[in-house]
Structure formats: structure tokens, C-alpha cells
Amino acid sequence: MTSKTNSNRAYLAIDQGTTSSRAIVFTAEFEMAYTAQQEFAQYYPRNGWVEQDPEELWQSVLAVTREALAAARQQGLQVTHIGIVNQRETTLVWHRDSGKPVYNAIVWQDRRTSQYCRSLSAHEDMVQQKTGLRLDPYFSASKLRWILDNVDGANALAQNEKLLFGTVDSWLIWRLTGGEVHATDVTNASRTSLYNIGENCWDNALLALFGIPPAMLPEVKDCAADFGMTAPDILPESLPISGVAGDQQAAMIGQGCVQPGNVKATYGTGCFALVNTGADCPVSQSGLLTTIAYRLHGQTHYAIEGAIFVAGAAVQWLRDGLGLIAKAADSEAIASQVGNEHGLVVVPAFTGLGAPHWQPDARGAIYGITRATSADDIVRATLESVCFQTHDLLTAMSQSGVTPTGLKVDGGMVANEWFCQFLADTLNVPVVRPHIMETTALGAALLAAMQAGDIAGLNDLATATPCQKTFTPTANSDRETQLVRWQKAVQATLLMAQ
Ligand SMILES: Nc1ncnc2c1ncn2[C@@H]1O[C@H](COP(=O)(O)OP(=O)(O)O)[C@@H](O)[C@H]1O
Ligand SMILES: O=P(O)(O)OC[C@H](O)CO
């Protein structure tokens, strides 16, 4: 696919993920011309807490953005528009005047508000009807409440309209525009638990339930819209920010999943499988979420979503927590050498279980350890667990009336060929990996190009990311046994959480 102009025009996609920030330059043909990437620290101050430093996060974005813009110039490319896509739900609060954060960013994986969410359980139906979400610590509202309740003076400052709330996109827009623009897009808003996805507005009843002053909230825009110009002292030249979306919704766009029934799964820190449901806004009865896929020209498209909190994060744990592998990619060779008779089941519920179980107090477990168990067995069983979790999501999707006949995949983990093949074998459907694996960033570039008027609309997108490889399911005689064992392990893990 090519934008209308074939010049040296280019788009800059800022992909602010859970573990790293990337800035990727896309040409007018939507090919990647340059990638800058920087990891940043994660903080785990207490059991179940996950935080990031907003300044470190900002500095990482600034550094990769400047690097990518310089590289584009060197290649003779003229970046004309910026798109931003981001880890969703992560919650920040900062001073309206100084722009200083009042607390660390509370990351989507953080479970500190599980007790508080339980205390609101009488309102679960209302929250689900209005937001499509569960009453779960995953979403922003309870994290925002926690900051207002626990940071000295924050509640009073918020009541006096001195503080602003935002998800990561809003924080970056605020900093990039030099404090001029306090805005978000509708997909990020739809993950806060404060936004009514049917009526497309911040919802007064939800604001009252969580005690959030409306003056803190960002303005909500379409995904392709005018989000302001970058401030002159921030980047070498002022550029318009013209596309914004949550990273999972952006990946849908980048994967060309723009027709009802299209489904993709992104394997980064977590795994998020989304099915496009078009103009329909169904309420799932099988533990899935309903969310806004995108809104363009005021028209809202919805998706049902299965969210797994730990996917690539489990591989990081093998590397950083257990020291069983030196780098994530090593897991591929190890898994292919280990036979499947290891008998282990890893349930990586490090930060609770998401869809379809929604048990924030669950914690990880390894079942079936014997004297013969090796480190390599644990590595393989960890990769397997991500495939089994995806199987649970697709089962829930079938129960919601959508039976995927194939799965488009992307994200850091799908570089692992063994993983993709085992996924296809477990799901018993073809798994399709795109030519551009950075589909999230591609989604940002496409949204920016749309607002620039360089591409017409989403119908062009089905061909945006041609397939690079299809993993066809192979016969696995152990599949049923493995899935039964997985279910038993999940049930035991859920039981331990009660
Ligand atoms: N070859 C690999 N095999 C398995 N996991 C991998 C591999 N390469 C990267 N990962 C995992 O992918 C994740 C990074 O993917 P990415 O899409 O950048 O995540 P995020 O956007 O959440 O920061 C890490 O958690 C890492 O452990
Ligand atoms: O950073 P990722 O790619 O795992 O995405 C995080 C999600 O947006 C959380 O909902």
C-alpha cells in the first residue's frame, strides 16, 4: 500500500510499549526505514505492584524520537506527521501548572487495587454495561482513585482542578506539545472504566462511583485527529501529532483487521486477542471484554478482546528472574530440543489471571515437578503456557459467537518460530505472521497518514501487511491430554487464590 504521495514523505510512529519505547520511520509506501528503541526500568515496590517513572518513560520517548528523526533526515526522508500508540490503562497524574507527576505511573499489570475493586462489586453490571470492561484492577479508574487517596494532598489538588489525569498517550502528547494539549483518543479512553463506549463520552455515574473530578480528564478525540503540534524546543522542527491509539487497537489496524470477524493476537509483555465486531457493541458472557477498536470520522467500531497479562513477560522472567536463558531468543532452540513428555505445566499468573477467569489474586505456579525436571523443561513449558492461554481465549470467543478460522499474530514473541508452530498446533488453526511484525507502529503510521489525507480510509488496509509466513497446524496426538492438564492446573491455581 502506498500513500497518495510518492515523494520522500515519511511518518514517525512512536510505539510506547510496556518494556520499551520505539520510534519507527515509515516511508510513503509504509515500509520501515529506521527503528530506534530504548528499554526503561520497571519498578516492583511491593507484591503485585508495578510502576514506571514518568520522567524515564518520557526521556526514553524523547531520545528515540530524536534519533529516528535524525536518521530520517540522513536518509533524505521528510517526516510530516507523528502517530502515537501506547501501552494502555497505565495511569499517570501530573500538575497542570508545572507538568510534574505526583506519583509514578501505575502500570496496567499492577494489582494493588484488587480489594478496592471487590468492594465495588455491587456495581459490576453497571460498569460492564457502560464500559464493556470488568471491575478489575487492570483498568485505570481504580489506579487513579488510589493515587488520589494515597498521595499527600492529591485529592484536594484534584478537586481544585490543579491536577491532570492521563494514560500514556495523554502524558506524551502533553509533554510533546509543551503542555498545550491535554487529549486522548477514544481507544485509550475506553480502557479507563470511566468512558461510556455506547454513548461515546466520559460517564457521570462512573466518575461518581470512582470519585474522579471531571476537570482532570483529557479531551477525547477520534484516532485520526489533530492532537496538536510538537513544541519548538522539543524536536528540531514542529510536527503535527495526527494519529493516536492504544497499542492493541493499533495492531488491529496494522494487521488490516478492519472487517467484522477479523481477529489478531499481539504477543508483547502480555497477549491481547481482538476480534473486530464492526458497529456492533456486544456484551460478552464468556469473560471477554468489549472495547472500542477505533473511531474515524466520528464512526465507532468495536471489538471483543481477550487479555492475557503475561506472555513475553514470562520469557523475561526465565531470563531475568530465573537466569535460565541469556536472551529471550534462546528459548526457541531450547524448546525445540526438549521433548513434550516433560509433564510440566507452568501457569504464569504473576499478576493475576485475566480473561476469561478475572482473578487478580491468582499467582503463578508450576505443576508436575520431579527429580528429572530440568531447566529446559521449564523453558518449554513456559512457552507452551502462552499457547494454552490463547486457546482459552479462542474458546471464549467461540462461546461469544465468533469462531476464528485463523489467527494473525504479531509482537516481540512471534519472532520465535517454535512458539508460532506450537501455537498453530494447539489452536488447530493456521497462524499467520505478517511481513511487518511491527504492526502496532504501522497502525500509528497509518492513522497519521489518514489524518494527513494521504490515504483514504480503512478499506485500503486489508493489504497493508502481507503475510510473511503461515504456520499450518500439524497433528499433535498429545494435544487433548495437554489441554486437559492445563485446565486442571488453572483450576488449582484459581482455588489457591480463594
Ligand atoms: N525470540 C523470542 N522468543 C520468545 N519471546 C520473545 C522473543 N523475542 C522477544 N520476546 C519477548 O517479547 C517481549 C517484547 O515484545 P514487545 O512487542 O516489544 O513488547 P512490549 O511492547 O510489551 O514492550 C518481551 O517480553 C520478550 O521476552
Ligand atoms: O505493552 P504491550 O504490547 O504488552 O501492551 C500492553 C497493553 O496495551 C495493556 O493493555
Side-chain angles (χ1 to χ4, degrees):
M1 169 155 145
T2 310
S3 66
K4 259 192 236 157
T5 158
N6 274 328
S7 62
N8 59 348
R9 204 174 164 101
Y11 311 98
L12 184 81
I14 297 175
D15 178 2
Q16 203 305 300
T18 308
T19 56
S20 76
S21 300
R22 293 186 187 80
I24 301 184
V25 179
F26 283 89
T27 65
E29 290 77 34
F30 298 102
E31 291 295 338
M32 287 165 53
Y34 188 83
T35 303
Q37 180 169 13
Q38 213 177 84
E39 289 199 9
F40 53 88
Q42 313 286 320
Y43 299 97
Y44 307 100
R46 292 195 202 173
N47 180 13
W49 292 28
V50 187
E51 297 182 359
Q52 292 161 358
D53 179 337
E55 296 294 350
E56 288 176 7
L57 204 147
W58 161 241
Q59 288 302 330
S60 72
V61 167
L62 192 57
V64 292
T65 302
R66 286 176 172 163
E67 179 186 330
L69 286 175
R73 249 194 326 277
Q74 271 194 346
Q75 294 182 35
L77 292 168
Q78 176 66 46
V79 170
T80 60
H81 293 79
I82 294 180
I84 299 176
V85 291
N86 57 285
Q87 53 169 317
R88 307 165 304 168
E89 299 97 16
T90 297
T91 300
L92 296 100
V93 176
W94 63 95
H95 289 271
R96 188 188 289 274
D97 290 339
S98 66
K100 286 221 166 73
V102 303
Y103 189 75
N104 271 347
I106 303 186
V107 178
W108 57 274
Q109 298 162 308
D110 192 291
R111 296 292 167 259
R112 77 185 64 185
T113 55
S114 64
Q115 181 66 34
Y116 170 69
C117 288
R118 261 199 302 278
S119 76
L120 300 180
S121 60
H123 306 277
E124 172 99 50
D125 284 351
M126 187 264 276
V127 171
Q128 193 183 17
Q129 287 299 327
K130 286 173 181 281
T131 66
L133 310 175
R134 313 283 300 219
L135 248 179
D136 191 271
Y138 175 27
F139 307 103
S140 313
S142 65
K143 299 178 196 293
L144 173 52
R145 184 68 252 155
W146 189 94
I147 291 176
L148 296 183
D149 284 341
N150 290 278
V151 176
D152 251 4
N155 205 31
L157 285 168
Q159 296 297 343
N160 290 327
E161 305 190 2
K162 302 278 189 216
L163 298 183
L164 299 177
F165 151 75
T167 40
V168 168
D169 55 315
S170 295
W171 170 241
L172 297 180
I173 293 166
W174 176 262
R175 280 287 168 104
L176 283 166
T177 60
E180 285 294 315
V181 179
H182 184 219
T184 188
D185 89 294
V186 68
T187 64
N188 276 295
S190 78
R191 311 296 295 189
T192 58
S193 287
L194 300 171
Y195 195 75
N196 187 317
I197 62 169
E199 295 174 13
N200 258 296
C201 59
W202 297 118
D203 188 283
N204 287 333
L206 294 169
L207 293 173
L209 179 66
F210 290 101
I212 307 301
M216 299 189 80
L217 301 173
E219 182 189 352
V220 183
K221 294 177 179 252
D222 279 9
C223 302
D226 175 9
F227 290 88
M229 298 292 291
T230 61
D233 55 334
I234 299 283
L235 302 176
E237 56 185 319
S238 273
L239 289 168
I241 304 168
S242 41
V244 175
D247 55 6
Q248 303 308 321
Q249 284 89 337
M252 276 195 97
I253 293 173
Q255 284 272 25
C257 289
V258 295
Q259 301 298 334
N262 291 168
V263 51
K264 72 89 206 180
T266 301
Y267 294 89
T269 302
C271 161
F272 304 88
L274 277 79
V275 189
N276 192 320
T277 59
D280 276 353
C281 181
V283 175
S284 167
Q285 303 304 326
S286 52
L288 300 174
L289 308 171
T290 309
T291 202
I292 295 184
Y294 40 86
R295 192 177 78 199
L296 296 166
H297 307 299
Q299 284 207 317
T300 307
H301 295 251
Y302 296 91
I304 52 174
E305 171 175 327
I308 299 170
F309 297 142
V310 173
V315 181
Q316 282 178 335
W317 167 72
L318 294 174
R319 186 193 63 186
D320 305 336
L322 300 187
L324 299 186
I325 51 176
K327 50 188 192 310
D330 294 347
S331 61
E332 180 171 345
I334 293 173
S336 39
Q337 281 155 22
V338 174
N340 61 358
E341 59 285 346
H342 55 72
L344 280 191
V345 185
V346 172
V347 182
F350 304 149
T351 55
L353 284 170
H357 308 291
W358 299 106
Q359 174 46 274
D361 298 325
R363 290 296 177 262
I366 303 179
Y367 297 92
I369 299 175
T370 69
R371 281 293 298 270
T373 298
S374 70
D376 289 358
D377 294 337
I378 295 176
V379 171
R380 173 164 168 152
T382 301
L383 290 183
E384 288 177 355
S385 73
V386 181
C387 303
F388 297 145
Q389 290 187 96
T390 310
H391 184 270
D392 288 349
L393 293 186
L394 264 61
T395 304
M397 282 176 183
S398 295
Q399 288 161 357
S400 290
V402 186
T403 304
T405 52
L407 187 67
K408 291 183 170 185
V409 296
D410 53 70
M413 260 191 104
V414 307
N416 187 319
E417 302 252 334
W418 183 89
F419 167 73
C420 292
Q421 186 58 54
F422 193 81
L423 184 63
D425 296 349
T426 304
L427 303 178
N428 203 22
V429 298
V431 165
V432 180
R433 193 169 65 179
H435 157 63
I436 291 184
M437 284 190 233
E438 300 283 359
T439 51
T440 303
L442 177 59
L446 289 166
L447 288 171
M450 224 175 285
Q451 175 65 8
D454 295 342
I455 55 171
L458 287 182
N459 288 336
D460 295 354
L461 297 189
T463 55
T465 45
C467 160
Q468 180 249 3
K469 183 163 179 180
T470 299
F471 297 85
T472 308
T474 53
N476 171 5
S477 54
D478 295 325
R479 178 174 178 270
E480 291 307 321
T481 315
Q482 287 168 339
L483 287 170
V484 168
R485 210 164 44 205
W486 165 255
Q487 286 309 333
K488 285 185 183 164
V490 169
Q491 290 313 317
T493 306
L494 289 169
L495 211 60
M496 282 293 287
Q498 285 166 9

